[in-house]
Amino acid sequence: MLTAAGAAGIAAVASLIGVTLGALLEPLKLNAARRAKLRQDRADRCAGLIEAATRARKHIIDINVVHRRRTLGKERETDAQREVEFEDGYYTARTEIRAFYGLLVMSGPDELVEQANLLRKKEMELHRTRWELDADEKFDREFLPAPVRQASAAFDRAIEEFALVARKHTS
């Protein structure tokens, strides 16, 4: 049978093995935690960029509608204040886009940065169409002018493509 000294020896060896394994596994656990934190930070930045881009798109479309109403329609006084609010919202969203883009440039990866840069370019293309008027010079329909519609669709596609690349690098 086991003596007290034998049981104590087995317990000491088991304890030593446990401590040794713990010391060997600790760097692996820390590295896994660091990678998980990096992925979460990247996911938060990507989500922020997508949300800011979506808000920017909405405000650009709203600015275009107000501008067309004021230029081609009869509503001239009430829309000026709304246009200022939409512009403030747009420039706030645009500032957020630049901030999230900078954070992505800092942390990478390059494929994600390239998609974010493409997203910013499409946002600028849509921004350039904010003063477009209807081809028939009448504001009597619910449709956006063709250049605004095309730029908006391209921007939407850029948001979707960015989201796909982001999913690949954050999951």
Side-chain angles (χ1 to χ4, degrees):
M1 298 266 171
L2 284 178
T3 65
I10 292 173
V13 170
S15 177
L16 181 62
I17 291 172
V19 168
T20 305
L21 282 176
L24 291 174
L25 293 178
E26 190 63 27
L28 295 175
K29 290 187 330 188
L30 289 175
N31 194 22
R34 187 182 55 79
R35 282 194 316 265
K37 172 88 170 97
L38 179 66
R39 271 195 313 274
Q40 184 61 48
D41 288 347
R42 187 178 295 146
D44 292 343
R45 291 169 182 169
C46 291
L49 180 63
I50 291 169
E51 290 170 1
T54 304
R55 276 196 321 273
R57 179 196 177 281
K58 176 202 176 301
H59 289 304
I60 291 172
I61 299 298
D62 290 340
I63 290 168
N64 178 263
V65 169
V66 169
H67 172 71
R68 289 183 309 140
R69 263 191 207 140
R70 189 179 65 234
T71 305
L72 303 173
K74 297 176 180 162
E75 301 175 33
R76 295 185 188 268
E77 294 179 22
T78 59
D79 287 343
Q81 179 60 33
R82 290 180 65 210
E83 187 172 11
V84 168
E85 291 171 7
F86 293 145
E87 284 181 356
D88 286 346
Y90 167 67
Y91 286 110
T92 299
R94 194 170 187 201
T95 299
E96 291 175 11
I97 289 172
R98 282 195 303 270
F100 284 119
Y101 175 74
L103 291 171
L104 286 173
V105 168
M106 185 176 73
S107 65
D110 290 339
E111 182 183 16
L112 192 59
V113 173
E114 288 171 13
Q115 279 303 131
N117 194 31
L118 179 65
L119 178 71
R120 290 181 64 216
K121 288 178 183 177
K122 295 299 180 182
E123 182 270 325
M124 282 305 301
E125 290 174 14
L126 180 60
H127 173 76
R128 287 186 200 104
T129 67
R130 70 192 184 284
W131 306 126
E132 291 289 329
L133 298 174
D134 296 299
D136 61 0
E137 298 289 323
K138 295 179 183 175
F139 184 73
D140 59 356
R141 56 191 171 152
E142 295 289 321
F143 301 104
L144 293 170
V148 179
R149 209 170 41 246
Q150 292 165 354
S152 177
F155 188 40
D156 285 342
R157 280 191 304 278
I159 291 171
E160 291 169 10
E161 291 168 5
F162 175 78
L164 290 173
V165 172
R167 181 174 49 174
K168 182 171 92 174
H169 291 286
T170 58
S171 48

